Amino acid sequence: MDFVKNSIPICGEVGYTYTMGFERQKRFLPHRSTHKESFMKINAHYQDLEQSYLFANINRKVASYAAAHPEKSIIRMGIGDVTRPLAPIVIEALHKGVNDMAAKETFHGYGPEQGYDFLRERVQSYYARIGVELAIDEIFISDGAKSDVGNILDLFDVDNTVLVPDPVYPVYVDTNIMAGRAIRYMQACESNGFLPDPPEEAADIIYLCSPNNPTGAVYDREQLKRWVEYAKKNDAVILFDSAYEAFVATKDLPRSIYEIEGAKECAIEFCSLSKTAGFTGTRCGYTIVPKALEPLNHMWLRRQTTKFNGVSYIIQCGAAEVFTEEGIRQTRENLAYYMRNAKVIADTLDALGIWYTGGKYSPYIWMRCPNGMDSWSFFDLLLEEAGIVGTPGAGFGKQGEGYFRLTAFSTYENTVEAMRRLKDLLQK
Amino acid sequence: MDFVKNSIPICGEVGYTYTMGFERQKRFLPHRSTHKESFMKINAHYQDLEQSYLFANINRKVASYAAAHPEKSIIRMGIGDVTRPLAPIVIEALHKGVNDMAAKETFHGYGPEQGYDFLRERVQSYYARIGVELAIDEIFISDGAKSDVGNILDLFDVDNTVLVPDPVYPVYVDTNIMAGRAIRYMQACESNGFLPDPPEEAADIIYLCSPNNPTGAVYDREQLKRWVEYAKKNDAVILFDSAYEAFVATKDLPRSIYEIEGAKECAIEFCSLSKTAGFTGTRCGYTIVPKALEPLNHMWLRRQTTKFNGVSYIIQCGAAEVFTEEGIRQTRENLAYYMRNAKVIADTLDALGIWYTGGKYSPYIWMRCPNGMDSWSFFDLLLEEAGIVGTPGAGFGKQGEGYFRLTAFSTYENTVEAMRRLKDLLQK
């Protein structure tokens, strides 16, 4: 069966291939011939999704190599998951939250869907540190940025044009395909430092992620200002993913789009404690929907109160400590650990004369594959000759071909060892 | 501004009224006149939503009464939220989960979006206790039934006819209105014990909730069998909300729709630990999408892996203990506490000769308002003359007019006192 793709590529499409058992899907396909007057119809847009074989392929190759070479040590620098334990102050608050649930007097039942004020106020003060003033009811606590980045699309008509960068975090693409929305890709490449400027064409919904996943590149204030101007000119909305903001250890670069004047009138910001505080398995994030963006603020409140029941009280207790002075100090220690790893990687690539972005204010390093290799060939070479697992850039889109992502989330010792092996390999 | 309602009432519509700041919404309304070639359009279906003023009205009336009568004690039997602390075995497991996150060796990062196998296996064995065999990959762990009941609609085409009972849990209605789907109401009333049978007309998506919120009525196996037959005949899907299954303390009534032969071919079941184990503020639930319902099982997996990052590892640790023998014993103690309250209420209504459903295998009692009163008048009378807060049936739909919901989630002492006051009031 053939299905027409609903994406309109400008500079190339993301390169997944996908099948989802189409034969079985026929059962509920719309427009089938039937003598019945009614039958349940599935959302046919799911058939337009392409399966990302990326991490499945990586896992298969790694497993196969490990089976053939049981003596070889494999260093994993592929997946963007943290490895350091939660900060002590967070652990303590989580225990207190659990204890509260053990006694009638301190038990918490249903909480506000948009989060407890004790946490929203902490997020508010966290933004105030970088000069961004938010009202409490512009802050929505969530179980993570991925949920909200996907669910926010409930608020928009199908008939909107979506603009995403290529390479891209696949969630931006897949959630829009599921809803049947047209997608345009903007080309990120070496010449723009993988930080594309607004195009000539108009768009309605714009995805920006800075510091970027997968490239680690960070927009400066001038660049973001051009995006805000573009969005306002086109009556568009920017969905700004700032999940990696905590890695921006300089005042020279923005950590929130709201540092740009006028952004509250055109941007929704998604953030997460996943990387900030190692919450990938603990689950908490927050989304900012400014009141200047009405009716979206009210619609999001309505969406969340109807389709969500809030984040666990226990988890919110832990999350609130992340934003205290002591919490910031403790969580930044883990970030410093990862950034030391990133520097080891960056220094190695500098010494090898290999072009890359990221690694300075991001746990991701996006490197050009050496000797003009394509990204899967370089993956195979790295795995087989050096026992290092990274992520081929082609997995993030057509423009990712020829590039490769390494992450700084391994241990320091393994990172040093991996870079020693990389040097040996490429200087052979 | 007028907006056409997209519901097609059979037996009356739910009676909310709603405005969402339409004047401000104009900014992003589709089809406005504009000289621009592109502008972001909101999901206009949100304008078809009617605000439920139900609990806002209740809160306003209670606050006003409390201010005027500071000396009066008010007993709240309105909202369906639990009050008893979590079971000790759950508390212990939550602490262990927190401790795991404190050490590098036991730290958990991203988990499987559909839940850890250690919890899915426990849910599997919980179903096995009532003779229902499920495969692990038919079980999806969620942050609660409300999220999944709403999000499952992503899988269905807009062009489906939805059948909901009236009175109804408002989430079934609102989530479909948000998506622009046609809704038909089926009449629940005294003559069918508030348990409607399938209609003559065909429908595509059917909502059933048993034990029911708000009526507490429980379908028997013969009745559910008729629904399964209806769904199969019409190629429809049943969305079965079994959030209150743990209150069914008899083998004579079904606790899962999968106790009915053929149900796996037509039903998705949603359940929650909110009432089973007092998790309203802790947040965990599960959804069963049978593989016999392909492609829905694969589509839901794809939806969840794309738009969700799983439930907190810590919470899943606690949830897993709910389904052990000891966990079941401890959590059933809390349910027994609530059911003792329900019996106090039911016995009082029996003594007063007032018709009601629920209260036997449900924490909800759905009573006819005495002396032919409408439900808001009875609300006012109960509050002002007895200091008791309940929920007017009209808030759950047109068919709820003339009825009133009391919940068994208060303390035993308060429940006894409330029923003493009710007797005094009605026997005056």
Side-chain angles (χ1 to χ4, degrees):
Chain A
M1 289 173 86
D2 278 345
F3 295 98
V4 180
K5 296 275 295 122
N6 64 343
S7 54
I8 304 165
I10 295 178
C11 330
E13 273 185 72
V14 283
Y16 318 128
T17 55
Y18 184 67
T19 58
M20 210 173 57
F22 287 151
E23 287 312 304
R24 308 189 75 175
Q25 283 205 29
K26 277 185 189 167
R27 178 174 170 197
F28 296 124
L29 276 180
H31 317 305
R32 70 173 181 182
S33 89
T34 174
H35 62 282
K36 286 181 192 165
E37 65 179 48
S38 174
F39 58 92
M40 188 274 290
K41 298 166 206 73
I42 60 163
N43 175 354
H45 298 301
Y46 272 62
Q47 298 162 55
D48 301 328
L49 286 168
E50 299 180 329
Q51 174 89 323
S52 170
Y53 288 125
L54 177 62
F55 289 104
N57 275 347
I58 291 175
N59 290 340
R60 189 177 46 76
K61 280 172 179 269
V62 172
S64 154
Y65 176 81
H69 306 278
E71 77 291 354
K72 291 276 175 70
S73 87
I74 296 175
I75 300 176
R76 289 164 200 273
M77 302 170 78
I79 293 179
D81 196 2
V82 299
T83 52
R84 312 280 300 165
L86 298 183
I89 193 171
V90 172
I91 291 292
E92 193 183 331
L94 289 167
H95 279 306
K96 186 199 164 289
V98 173
N99 284 334
D100 284 352
M101 299 305 252
K104 204 172 55 167
E105 297 71 25
T106 50
F107 178 78
H108 281 68
Y110 288 120
E113 289 91 344
Q114 63 273 39
Y116 280 103
D117 277 355
F118 68 74
L119 176 52
R120 298 166 94 194
E121 283 163 10
R122 290 278 171 82
V123 173
Q124 187 183 41
S125 70
Y126 186 69
Y127 271 96
R129 294 165 62 97
I130 54 169
V132 173
E133 276 184 44
L134 296 177
I136 281 290
D137 51 1
E138 296 178 314
I139 301 166
F140 296 80
I141 305 302
S142 76
D143 59 314
K146 185 173 158 189
S147 299
D148 279 14
V149 163
N151 293 335
I152 199 82
L153 293 176
D154 283 11
L155 309 193
F156 302 112
D157 197 275
V158 172
D159 179 26
N160 281 299
T161 298
V162 175
L163 189 64
V164 300
D166 173 8
V168 65
Y169 176 45
V171 166
Y172 308 156
V173 172
D174 290 351
T175 52
N176 279 291
I177 289 178
M178 285 171 172
R181 239 173 244 111
I183 299 173
R184 292 172 184 266
Y185 294 87
M186 49 184 164
Q187 192 164 354
C189 53
E190 278 191 33
S191 65
N192 57 28
F194 282 90
L195 294 167
D197 259 337
E200 290 297 317
E201 300 87 346
D204 307 312
I205 299 171
I206 303 148
Y207 286 87
L208 298 178
C209 176
S210 177
N212 190 265
N213 176 16
T215 70
V218 190
Y219 277 115
D220 67 25
R221 289 192 177 85
E222 274 309 307
Q223 291 169 317
L224 282 190
K225 200 174 151 206
R226 291 199 287 275
W227 274 111
V228 168
E229 281 163 5
Y230 171 83
K232 294 180 79 166
K233 193 185 78 183
N234 289 290
D235 245 341
V237 65
I238 295 172
L239 304 181
F240 192 79
D241 186 342
S242 68
Y244 297 88
E245 61 82 23
F247 291 91
V248 180
T250 172
K251 294 202 166 145
D252 294 343
L253 292 170
R255 288 167 52 176
S256 162
I257 194 161
Y258 302 122
E259 295 186 44
I260 311 304
E261 201 184 320
K264 281 189 188 169
E265 292 147 43
C266 64
I268 293 171
E269 183 161 291
F270 305 87
C271 200
S272 166
L273 278 69
S274 285
K275 308 300 154 65
T276 302
F279 266 51
T280 53
T282 303
R283 312 302 319 141
C284 197
Y286 48 97
T287 293
I288 311 300
V289 189
K291 285 192 280 193
L293 253 183
E294 287 294 13
L296 295 178
N297 176 283
H298 266 84
M299 289 175 73
W300 183 241
L301 177 65
R302 178 73 180 184
R303 193 272 170 207
Q304 291 297 80
T305 52
T306 304
K307 292 193 180 183
F308 186 55
N309 246 328
V311 173
S312 175
Y313 166 75
I314 298 164
I315 304 303
Q316 292 192 61
C317 287
E321 292 310 309
V322 169
F323 303 104
T324 60
E325 287 302 320
E326 178 59 17
I328 290 172
R329 196 191 63 72
Q330 290 185 11
T331 52
R332 291 295 191 269
E333 276 180 20
N334 278 343
L335 299 193
Y337 181 93
Y338 298 134
M339 290 318 293
R340 187 169 62 146
N341 294 345
K343 189 165 188 316
V344 170
I345 300 169
D347 288 349
T348 306
L349 297 179
D350 283 337
L352 289 166
I354 293 175
W355 188 96
Y356 64 92
T357 59
K360 194 163 182 189
Y361 301 117
S362 158
Y364 297 133
I365 288 91
W366 181 255
M367 62 182 281
R368 195 199 297 166
C369 298
N371 310 319
M373 291 178 86
D374 70 83
S375 62
W376 276 108
S377 298
F378 184 57
F379 173 91
D380 291 337
L381 177 77
L382 259 192
L383 175 62
E384 285 160 23
E385 301 296 322
I388 301 169
V389 182
T391 312
F396 298 103
K398 207 166 189 173
Q399 293 295 320
E401 184 53 277
Y403 294 87
F404 200 79
R405 191 185 77 171
L406 292 173
T407 78
F409 291 122
S410 192
T411 63
Y412 177 70
E413 294 71 22
N414 279 346
T415 307
V416 169
E417 168 62 14
M419 290 304 104
R420 193 194 56 74
R421 294 185 197 171
L422 181 70
K423 261 190 188 158
D424 280 1
L425 176 70
L426 297 182
Q427 286 175 341
K428 254 185 213 167
Chain B
M1 289 173 87
D2 279 344
F3 294 98
V4 179
K5 295 275 296 120
N6 63 344
S7 54
I8 306 165
I10 295 179
C11 327
E13 274 184 69
V14 284
Y16 318 128
T17 55
Y18 185 67
T19 57
M20 209 173 56
F22 287 151
E23 288 310 305
R24 309 190 74 176
Q25 282 205 31
K26 277 184 191 170
R27 179 176 170 194
F28 296 122
L29 276 181
H31 316 303
R32 69 174 182 181
S33 88
T34 174
H35 62 284
K36 286 180 194 167
E37 65 180 49
S38 174
F39 58 91
M40 189 275 290
K41 299 166 205 74
I42 60 163
N43 175 354
H45 298 301
Y46 272 63
Q47 298 162 55
D48 301 327
L49 286 168
E50 299 180 330
Q51 173 89 325
S52 170
Y53 288 126
L54 177 62
F55 289 104
N57 275 348
I58 290 175
N59 290 340
R60 189 177 47 74
K61 280 173 179 268
V62 173
S64 154
Y65 176 80
H69 305 278
E71 77 291 355
K72 291 275 174 73
S73 87
I74 296 175
I75 300 176
R76 290 164 200 272
M77 303 171 76
I79 293 180
D81 195 1
V82 299
T83 52
R84 312 282 299 167
L86 298 183
I89 193 172
V90 172
I91 292 290
E92 194 183 332
L94 289 168
H95 279 305
K96 187 200 163 289
V98 174
N99 285 333
D100 283 353
M101 300 304 253
K104 205 172 56 166
E105 297 70 26
T106 50
F107 179 77
H108 282 69
Y110 287 119
E113 289 90 343
Q114 62 274 39
Y116 279 102
D117 278 355
F118 67 74
L119 176 52
R120 298 166 94 194
E121 283 163 10
R122 291 278 171 80
V123 173
Q124 187 183 41
S125 70
Y126 186 68
Y127 271 97
R129 293 166 62 98
I130 54 169
V132 173
E133 276 183 45
L134 297 176
I136 282 290
D137 50 0
E138 296 179 315
I139 300 165
F140 296 79
I141 305 303
S142 75
D143 59 314
K146 184 174 160 190
S147 299
D148 279 14
V149 163
N151 293 334
I152 198 82
L153 293 175
D154 283 12
L155 310 194
F156 303 112
D157 198 273
V158 173
D159 179 26
N160 280 299
T161 298
V162 176
L163 189 64
V164 300
D166 174 7
V168 65
Y169 175 46
V171 166
Y172 307 156
V173 173
D174 290 350
T175 51
N176 279 293
I177 290 179
M178 284 172 172
R181 239 172 244 111
I183 299 173
R184 291 173 182 265
Y185 293 87
M186 49 185 164
Q187 192 165 353
C189 52
E190 277 192 34
S191 66
N192 57 27
F194 282 90
L195 293 167
D197 259 338
E200 290 298 317
E201 301 87 345
D204 307 312
I205 299 171
I206 302 148
Y207 286 86
L208 298 178
C209 176
S210 177
N212 190 265
N213 175 16
T215 71
V218 189
Y219 276 115
D220 67 25
R221 289 192 177 84
E222 273 309 306
Q223 291 169 316
L224 282 190
K225 201 175 151 206
R226 290 199 287 274
W227 275 110
V228 168
E229 281 163 6
Y230 171 82
K232 293 179 80 165
K233 192 183 80 181
N234 289 289
D235 246 342
V237 66
I238 295 172
L239 304 181
F240 191 80
D241 186 343
S242 68
Y244 298 88
E245 61 82 23
F247 291 92
V248 180
T250 172
K251 292 200 167 145
D252 293 343
L253 292 170
R255 287 168 53 176
S256 162
I257 194 161
Y258 303 123
E259 295 187 43
I260 312 303
E261 201 184 320
K264 280 189 189 170
E265 293 149 42
C266 65
I268 293 171
E269 182 162 291
F270 304 88
C271 201
S272 166
L273 277 70
S274 285
K275 308 299 153 63
T276 302
F279 267 51
T280 52
T282 303
R283 312 301 319 141
C284 197
Y286 48 96
T287 294
I288 311 300
V289 188
K291 285 192 280 192
L293 254 182
E294 287 293 12
L296 294 177
N297 176 283
H298 266 84
M299 288 174 74
W300 183 242
L301 177 65
R302 178 74 179 184
R303 193 271 170 206
Q304 291 298 81
T305 50
T306 304
K307 292 193 181 184
F308 186 54
N309 246 328
V311 173
S312 175
Y313 167 76
I314 297 164
I315 304 303
Q316 291 191 61
C317 288
E321 292 311 308
V322 169
F323 302 104
T324 59
E325 286 302 321
E326 178 59 18
I328 290 171
R329 197 192 63 72
Q330 291 185 10
T331 52
R332 290 295 191 269
E333 276 180 18
N334 279 343
L335 300 194
Y337 181 94
Y338 298 134
M339 291 317 294
R340 185 169 64 147
N341 294 345
K343 189 164 189 316
V344 170
I345 301 170
D347 288 349
T348 306
L349 297 179
D350 283 337
L352 290 166
I354 293 175
W355 188 96
Y356 66 92
T357 59
K360 194 162 183 190
Y361 300 117
S362 157
Y364 296 133
I365 288 90
W366 179 256
M367 61 180 283
R368 194 198 297 166
C369 297
N371 311 321
M373 291 178 86
D374 70 81
S375 62
W376 276 108
S377 299
F378 185 57
F379 174 91
D380 291 337
L381 178 76
L382 259 193
L383 175 62
E384 285 160 25
E385 301 296 322
I388 301 170
V389 182
T391 314
F396 298 103
K398 208 166 189 172
Q399 294 294 321
E401 184 52 279
Y403 294 88
F404 201 79
R405 192 186 77 172
L406 292 172
T407 79
F409 291 122
S410 190
T411 62
Y412 177 70
E413 295 71 22
N414 279 345
T415 307
V416 169
E417 168 63 13
M419 290 304 103
R420 192 194 58 74
R421 294 184 196 171
L422 182 70
K423 262 190 188 159
D424 280 0
L425 175 70
L426 296 183
Q427 286 174 341
K428 253 186 214 166

